[in-house]
Amino acid sequence: MSRRVERRDRIMFALGRFREAIGIALGVAVRDHNYATERHARVMTELWLRDKGIDRAMADPALAAVLANPRMGDIRGQLEADREAHFGSWTAGGPAQLAGLVGEAAPGAAGEIPEHWLGRPGTADGTGQMPQLWRIGSATSDSAPRAVSFPVAVPLLDSAHLHVSTTPESHAAAESMVETLLLRALSYFQPGLVQVHLWDTGQLTGPLPGLYPLTRAGLLTVHDPARPQDLLDELSEHIRRVHSGVLAGGHTSVQASSGRAGRRTEPWRIAVLFGKHERLPDQQQQQLQRIARNGLVCGVQLIVVDIPVTVNSPMETVTFTGPNTARTSMTGQHITMRPDPALPRAEVPTACAVIAEGFEERKARLGAFADLLPDQFWTMSSEGGLVTPVGFHDGVPVDVVLGDSSPHALVGGPSGSGKTNFLYALLGGLAARYSPDELELYLLDFKEGVSFAQFTPGRKDPSWLPHARLVGVNVNADREFGVALLRFLADRMRQRADAAKQHEVTKLEELRAEDPDTNWPRIVAVIDEFQFLFSGGDQVAAEAAQLLEDVARRGRSQGIHLVLASQDVSGIEAFWGRPAIFEQFILRIALPKARRVLVDNTNEAAVDLPRWHAVVNHESGVRLGNQLARIPDATARHTFDDLQRRLYDQRPADLEPPQLFDGSRVPALSATPDFHALMPDDQEAPFALLGQVIDVAGSAAGSALVSAPGRNLAVIGSSVTDAASVLGAAVLSLARQHDPGTARFTLLPLVQGSAAAVEALELQLAAAGHEVAVLGRTDLTKLLAELAAELVQARSAGGGERMRPHYLVGYGIDAAHSLLETREVGVIASGLDDLRAVLRNGPQERTHVLGWWRGVGRLRASLPIGSVEDIGPWIAFDVQGQELTPLAPGQLRINWSPRPGRGLFFDRFAHARPQVIIPFDVRTVDVRTEAGSGS
């Protein structure tokens, strides 16, 4: 029994000890639990306060009750101390600093209060100070003490899109914010530079009704809620057009091209889309995202409200959290933004009406030539291309762009449609924007007139266009000059291509970057009535077509641009089977009643154009590329002439005037650089100048009279004047290369009418101290006999002392044939035999015949039968080409139709084919060299 009691006592004692241990453990657990709970509560409270902000937390009844607990009192104090330590200094100056930054980045209507700008449209043209930010509201920091507010602004135009997310109770506040933002942009710039597109999937009448007065001026387009595709297609087509036009010329954005052009070339398009927190259908959603990705550089801005969108392009966000509060990507999650108060309802439509009226007033302005010109001349670079306005459409300038994407222009319009006026407007705009180091002009007019002669120095106006390097007028009969210009352009093109290859680049823009020390201007060649080049169906037309195709195809990358103007391009046979030529003329300008310039049958926009208007098309003439433009008067007094004088006064001091080729003028030998370059230097082969070549350089044609067989000169034709000009130029240029007394000149006036020319030439030679003799027909036989004997004696001497140079100049040698054919009694050789001997043997002994024959048959009668070897160079005037073919061995056929004042020159020792020359005016020529004349 005692054991049982003892065992129970031990059990009870152990149980008591166990209960005591459990009690201690439970007490510790309760204590730790209470500590952990309190600690957790403190930590959570601190997190809530830090996340929500002390000021907002105190306004929350639930958090305010927690903070009323005495155990939590020190948390608020600690957080306030931390806030003061971290944000106290920022609160003192940070908001003011942000306000200053926004004030600088958002000038005028972009950031000021509405009272300063609402109802007063701005005048900014998009090229001056561009706002970097646009104000949308004010904000306070959730963490900073004393809740000091500061302005909130977002980037927009050309910088970023805007995405807005709303709640049902904040939708009205979001609409108000968007409306204010749009009016800021509309009011900052001059009316017309900002256009708005509006689409709302939920409202038939559309949101933002206060903006509707803009619709009458075309500044607001409200799209059908059921057809968002129309808006997306319109924006996509605009982006495509800008990419293929403006940006393809080397510009990175419309804004960049505006800087080069000196003004905004395209208005901004702000598209506002209101949704229902749902994605658009897949295809439309993808198109929207493509627009967002590519639109900024093209001036297309999106403001997307309640449409989920993710794009790989700058897009700021505004997320509304309450009826009038929001978070923005510009300020972060710990800043509460409140949109600015809504604009006064009654003032919004009034302000929009003022903007619309301002735009209508701009559109109503016709625009003068002066409006095409920039405020400052020669400020633009042609590195990436050329751009200038040529007219206006609804008051907005319409540009012409010459660059890689639209390298060449085709201008068409019948007589009286304004081609010359358009070309003046184009050239004036280019010349005012680009300096002569950036742009060179080569101007050629095939119609009868002097439209381009104004660009060269004149008697009444000594000024000239600094950019013009060559001007050709009255060249309708000289198609060879057009070929010469194309050949010159082809040479310049190859020169640039070689330089580009050396620098391992392909485009002019790259070449200029790699070789900045060399002047590489862009070249614009304007050829009016260019179809004359191809009117003959001959070798000239064939060569012109070949050169034009080469320059048009390869010149685009070398900065060489063609502007071809014509009354009609439908009948150019030389282009049949050569579509590669016109395919390069992307830019088409159609003047009233023009046909075949734009795309046939599908684009007849020019047929009903009023006067002073043009269709400007940078899309190869397709209808979608049409831009209507009113061309101001650029030919009236005080328009282009005043501009030219201003540019002339601004020209570089060392700039030479342009070279003028006037087909109606006779070039003077005394003004020819090649003549002045001749000097007496005991040369073996004096060079006889014969006339001016029809080329870009205006160089002289001639032949070297070497001591070799055949170096005699024949002039063929019936005109005394033409023959006297050629023979006079030859003699005077030869005389300039001999010191007085070192050469003989024998002049033979053998036909009636040549005496005056011979007398004048005799006086010029005598004044220079040369030995000159004038012999009549009766002395010719004796002279030829003496010369023939001298030649025999010189030849028998076997290379002894050479004869003194002797030039036998005969005017109408064929007129003496009857006399020369007569044989005197006892004399074996006739005078004609002596002439043939002189022709055959004279050049080797420095005796040369410079003769005029009045026909090909008469010339051949002076030569041995069947031989023309004793005549090397010849010039023919009023002789048909088929008659001349026997005089040009190797030429299957000579295509030549005589024309006044032009001769056909061929030297079988130097030429592959004949060339056309213009005889010189040999009056008032001083043969003496500068050294010999004492000057």
Side-chain angles (χ1 to χ4, degrees):
M1 186 69 180
S2 60
R3 288 184 178 181
R4 186 178 299 166
V5 172
E6 183 182 357
R7 188 167 51 246
R8 184 186 64 187
D9 290 340
R10 286 199 304 268
I11 292 172
M12 292 300 296
F13 177 77
L15 183 60
R17 292 291 299 274
F18 175 70
R19 288 175 178 172
E20 181 181 357
I22 290 177
I24 293 173
L26 289 175
V28 172
V30 170
R31 184 189 64 187
D32 290 347
H33 178 267
N34 292 338
Y35 176 80
T37 301
E38 180 180 345
R39 182 62 179 169
H40 179 263
R42 291 174 62 87
V43 171
M44 293 304 299
T45 301
E46 182 178 351
L47 287 174
W48 291 336
L49 290 175
R50 291 186 183 278
D51 181 63
K52 200 165 186 179
I54 298 175
D55 298 329
R56 291 174 59 195
M58 294 305 297
D60 187 330
L63 283 176
V66 172
L67 292 175
N69 189 325
R71 295 185 179 184
M72 302 294 181
D74 62 328
I75 296 178
R76 178 180 175 183
Q78 181 63 42
L79 291 180
E80 288 180 343
D82 291 345
R83 181 172 70 172
E84 185 65 32
H86 288 89
F87 298 102
S89 60
W90 183 88
T91 303
Q97 185 180 8
L98 283 176
L101 291 174
V102 172
E104 293 177 2
E112 294 179 355
I113 60 175
E115 288 78 1
H116 292 170
W117 52 266
L118 189 61
R120 294 188 288 275
T123 58
D125 63 359
T127 60
Q129 182 184 11
M130 276 288 297
Q132 296 174 294
L133 297 173
W134 301 81
R135 178 176 173 133
I136 58 173
S138 59
T140 57
S141 171
D142 297 344
S143 302
R146 296 185 294 279
V148 180
S149 66
F150 53 87
V152 177
V154 295
L156 188 65
L157 301 182
D158 296 326
S159 299
H161 305 293
L162 182 62
H163 185 267
V164 181
S165 298
T166 71
T167 61
E169 62 273 12
S170 63
H171 197 78
E175 284 193 11
S176 174
M177 181 190 72
V178 171
E179 181 181 71
T180 303
L181 183 59
L182 292 174
L183 274 171
R184 286 187 183 277
L186 287 161
S187 301
Y188 184 86
F189 298 101
Q190 62 186 12
L193 280 186
V194 176
Q195 300 177 4
V196 179
H197 293 262
L198 193 57
W199 177 80
D200 185 358
T201 188
Q203 300 186 36
L204 292 177
T205 57
L208 313 182
L211 302 182
Y212 277 35
L214 297 171
T215 57
R216 76 183 190 199
L219 298 179
L220 172 66
T221 303
V222 181
H223 294 266
D224 188 343
R227 296 182 59 83
Q229 190 65 49
D230 294 345
L231 169 60
L232 299 177
D233 288 344
E234 184 172 342
L235 296 178
S236 298
E237 175 60 27
H238 172 73
I239 292 172
R240 185 203 65 80
R241 184 175 65 82
V242 172
H243 270 284
S244 62
V246 179
L247 302 188
H251 306 296
T252 57
S253 66
V254 171
Q255 185 62 26
S257 70
S258 302
R260 294 182 179 180
R263 58 178 177 76
R264 182 78 185 182
T265 57
E266 288 283 346
W268 284 281
R269 286 164 172 79
I270 304 179
V272 186
L273 295 88
F274 285 89
K276 294 182 176 180
H277 299 279
E278 298 175 354
R279 285 169 53 92
L280 297 175
D282 288 345
Q283 184 176 355
Q284 296 176 2
Q285 186 75 19
Q286 293 173 5
Q287 189 174 4
L288 176 64
Q289 295 184 164
R290 285 195 300 270
I291 292 170
R293 185 169 58 252
N294 300 306
L296 289 176
V297 296
C298 300
V300 174
Q301 320 293 142
L302 296 179
I303 298 179
V304 181
V305 182
D306 293 336
I307 300 177
V309 60
T310 56
V311 295
N312 185 22
S313 63
M315 176 172 283
E316 302 298 334
T317 61
V318 176
T319 303
F320 278 83
T321 58
N324 200 41
T325 59
R327 306 282 191 185
T328 76
S329 55
M330 288 293 291
T331 56
Q333 293 300 313
H334 299 289
I335 300 295
T336 299
M337 192 275 291
R338 291 177 176 79
D340 287 330
L343 298 174
R345 287 297 90 201
E347 297 183 24
V348 171
T350 302
C352 291
V354 172
I355 295 172
E357 290 171 3
F359 184 50
E360 293 286 358
E361 182 180 349
R362 282 188 62 209
K363 291 197 299 183
R365 291 183 59 224
L366 295 179
F369 176 73
D371 297 321
L372 298 178
L373 308 180
D375 295 332
Q376 294 183 340
F377 293 162
W378 297 355
T379 60
M380 295 175 57
S381 169
S382 64
E383 184 176 345
L386 301 166
V387 58
T388 182
V390 292
F392 303 88
H393 178 62
D394 287 344
V396 178
V398 176
D399 286 334
V400 158
V401 179
L402 291 172
D404 290 344
S405 62
S406 51
H408 312 297
L410 185 64
V411 183
S415 178
S417 61
K419 279 201 322 303
T420 300
N421 184 67
F422 173 83
L423 293 175
Y424 268 53
L426 171 66
L427 295 174
L430 291 174
R433 284 167 172 78
Y434 302 94
S435 71
D437 287 336
E438 298 287 338
L439 170 66
E440 288 183 355
L441 297 175
Y442 296 82
L443 311 169
L444 187 58
D445 187 356
F446 270 103
K447 66 177 181 292
E448 295 184 11
V450 289
S451 299
F452 295 151
Q454 173 180 328
F455 306 144
T456 63
R459 291 190 300 271
K460 294 182 178 179
D461 185 359
S463 71
W464 39 273
L465 189 63
H467 307 73
R469 298 293 84 219
L470 174 71
V471 176
V473 297
N474 292 316
V475 293
N476 52 301
D478 292 313
R479 294 182 299 126
E480 294 84 0
F481 189 74
V483 175
L485 174 58
L486 292 175
R487 192 180 298 119
F488 168 81
L489 295 176
D491 291 340
R492 293 291 294 271
M493 179 180 66
R494 282 188 287 271
Q495 175 190 1
R496 295 185 174 198
D498 291 342
K501 185 182 300 183
Q502 180 180 354
H503 289 279
E504 298 182 349
V505 296
T506 58
K507 298 166 58 177
L508 178 68
E509 184 174 4
E510 299 168 346
L511 176 60
R512 288 178 57 162
E514 292 292 327
D515 187 15
D517 296 331
T518 304
N519 185 29
W520 301 109
R522 287 194 178 264
I523 293 174
V524 174
V526 181
I527 305 179
D528 195 8
E529 300 303 338
F530 72 98
Q531 73 277 3
F532 275 93
L533 266 173
F534 315 101
S535 59
D538 51 11
Q539 179 63 35
V540 174
E543 185 178 2
Q546 181 179 2
L547 288 168
L548 181 62
E549 181 175 352
D550 187 31
V551 174
R553 182 168 47 84
R554 297 197 296 146
R556 62 190 304 162
S557 60
Q558 306 303 334
I560 298 176
H561 308 284
L562 299 172
V563 178
L564 304 185
S566 174
Q567 294 186 19
D568 184 13
V569 298
S570 61
I572 303 175
E573 296 181 2
F575 288 148
W576 290 357
R578 292 179 179 264
I581 295 182
F582 276 115
E583 287 175 359
Q584 303 300 325
F585 287 78
I586 308 298
L587 173 59
R588 309 288 179 90
I589 291 92
L591 297 162
K593 306 297 187 294
R595 298 183 182 275
R596 304 296 299 274
V597 178
L598 305 175
V599 175
D600 294 343
N601 302 325
T602 61
N603 191 358
E604 298 183 352
V607 174
D608 298 321
L609 272 182
R611 194 177 179 219
W612 301 104
H613 286 73
V615 175
V616 179
N617 189 300
H618 289 83
E619 303 285 345
S620 299
V622 298
R623 183 174 53 82
L624 291 177
N626 287 349
Q627 287 181 283
L628 184 66
R630 186 188 187 280
I631 313 300
D633 189 352
T635 58
R637 292 186 60 186
H638 305 301
T639 54
F640 197 102
D641 52 347
D642 283 356
L643 170 65
Q644 177 169 299
R645 281 188 283 270
R646 292 173 63 189
L647 298 177
Y648 174 77
D649 292 338
Q650 191 174 319
R651 77 193 188 282
D654 59 347
L655 188 64
E656 295 291 333
Q659 183 171 338
L660 173 65
F661 178 87
D662 187 345
S664 65
R665 294 183 182 179
V666 177
L669 179 63
S670 59
T672 303
D674 289 335
F675 177 75
H676 290 280
L678 299 174
M679 298 289 289
D681 57 1
D682 296 328
Q683 57 184 329
E684 290 293 325
F687 198 80
L689 303 184
L690 307 175
Q692 179 178 296
V693 181
I694 300 180
D695 64 359
V696 170
S699 53
S703 286
L705 298 186
V706 299
S707 298
R711 301 318 293 170
N712 301 295
L713 171 68
V715 182
I716 309 168
S718 62
S719 170
V720 176
T721 302
D722 291 336
S725 295
V726 174
L727 294 177
V731 169
L732 293 172
S733 59
L734 290 170
R736 191 174 173 85
Q737 299 169 72
H738 295 285
D739 289 322
T742 60
R744 297 170 57 191
F745 293 90
T746 301
L747 309 182
L748 302 168
L750 303 176
V751 296
Q752 185 177 4
S754 62
V758 169
E759 182 180 358
L761 188 59
E762 178 188 15
L763 292 175
Q764 289 170 301
L765 292 171
H770 288 289
E771 179 183 344
V772 56
V774 178
L775 303 180
R777 185 183 304 181
T778 56
D779 299 319
L780 178 60
T781 303
K782 180 179 179 181
L783 172 66
L784 291 174
E786 292 175 352
L787 286 176
E790 290 178 5
L791 292 173
V792 171
Q793 182 178 359
R795 289 171 61 84
S796 64
E801 184 178 351
R802 302 184 62 190
M803 296 176 61
R804 185 167 51 139
H806 186 185
Y807 301 103
L808 189 65
V809 186
Y811 291 76
I813 293 178
D814 57 282
H817 273 186
S818 58
L819 175 63
L820 295 176
E821 289 174 345
T822 303
R823 283 185 170 84
E824 295 184 7
V825 177
V827 178
I828 299 177
S830 67
L832 185 58
D833 294 329
D834 291 335
L835 172 62
R836 290 169 177 169
V838 172
L839 287 171
R840 181 175 59 256
N841 302 318
Q844 298 178 74
E845 302 299 333
R846 297 198 293 180
T847 298
H848 305 274
V849 175
L850 314 179
W852 165 39
W853 286 265
R854 291 173 296 177
V856 175
R858 294 170 181 262
L859 168 63
R860 298 185 69 178
S862 297
L863 302 174
I865 298 175
S867 173
V868 294
E869 293 182 354
D870 293 336
I871 295 293
W874 53 260
I875 301 173
F877 287 95
D878 51 354
V879 181
Q880 295 295 331
Q882 59 268 27
E883 298 181 56
L884 297 170
T885 300
L887 299 180
Q891 297 288 311
L892 297 178
R893 178 184 178 189
I894 296 180
N895 292 311
W896 165 249
S897 296
R899 55 185 191 262
R902 301 295 183 266
L904 190 68
F905 171 46
F906 182 73
D907 186 342
R908 59 190 176 90
F909 296 102
H911 294 162
R913 61 173 180 266
Q915 61 181 180
V916 180
I917 66 169
I918 306 173
F920 286 121
D921 180 354
V922 297
R923 296 172 296 176
T924 67
V925 175
D926 188 353
V927 177
R928 295 172 298 172
T929 63
E930 283 70 11
S933 62
S935 58

